[in-house]
Amino acid sequence: MWIIRGLRKGVLTSEYPKRVSEEELLFSFPLEAPAECPFGAVEDGRFDYRKCINCRLCNVPFGQKTGLSEVKNPLPFRKSLHVFFLDVGTCHACNREVALLHSPNYDVHRLKIFFTPTPKHADVLLVAGCPTDGMIPVLKEAYELMPEPKRVLVLGSCANGALCDRKVEDFVPVDGYVPGCPPSPVQIIEGLLKVAGRDVE
Ligand code: SF4
Ligand code: SF4
């Protein structure tokens, strides 16, 4: 009965834009930058994208907020790449971006990037989140189980320690960093291609 009613009348889950005041819209999309970023991402006129959580309180252009992935040690092979993803304490937003890598829009298989359910088959450990007490042993074990050569790529401001007291690098060696809170799928792909030693335009 509810299905038939929904099909006939439609189902509204939000009253936007009818019930959103201009004030609320301005809060979401302000025109002026704050004098100081509340999260410390803008200091002395310099922008640190690692600390930016995309709260939109300022007007820093999105392109500047995202920054580029940094990878120190690309792997010594350039064909397929197997990735084990580990959430060590996320808000789940990074996970959702990682999940999109398998959607038709991004389809990482076409780039010879494959996710594995076990670190034993992985070339890259992809980690997101602030390491929690319960996940630190899991993080270390996953790293130990990976065959050589192996690399660790961390995602987002949490894993890098910009938003947390701990960072992934405190527990396992880190080879690369993908910025953003959360990073976009394109940034994650860029980081993975760089780890694989493939050139990125
Ligand atoms: S969008 Fe980023 S830089 Fe701008 S106020 Fe928010 S955290 Fe700071
Ligand atoms: S980096 Fe941002 S999006 Fe990713 S887990 Fe941390 S708070 Fe969430």
Side-chain angles (χ1 to χ4, degrees), residues 46 88 126 189:
R46 296 186 61 192
V88 293
L126 186 65
I189 289 173

Side-chain angles (χ1 to χ4, degrees), residues 26-121:
L26 282 173
F27 179 75
S28 301
F29 305 100
L31 300 175
E32 299 296 328
E36 198 174 310
C37 166
F39 303 97
V42 182
E43 277 173 5
D44 301 328
R46 296 186 61 192
F47 175 60
D48 182 351
Y49 57 77
R50 296 181 184 210
K51 293 182 181 171
C52 174
I53 62 164
N54 285 336
C55 70
R56 296 186 181 181
L57 285 172
C58 74
N59 65 353
V60 174
F62 184 71
Q64 281 185 31
K65 281 188 205 163
T66 54
L68 295 174
S69 308
E70 295 168 12
V71 173
K72 289 184 278 192
N73 308 310
L75 280 164
F77 51 84
R78 294 166 189 243
K79 294 196 174 171
S80 62
L81 191 74
H82 288 81
V83 182
F84 180 69
F85 176 58
L86 190 62
D87 169 350
V88 293
T90 68
C91 71
H92 201 62
C94 278
N95 311 33
R96 291 175 69 96
E97 301 299 323
V98 171
L100 282 173
L101 298 180
H102 293 103
S103 69
N105 283 9
Y106 300 100
D107 188 15
V108 286
H109 290 178
R110 76 197 153 91
L111 300 168
K112 296 182 275 188
I113 296 172
F114 305 94
F115 279 67
T116 83
T118 165
K120 290 180 182 174
H121 298 164

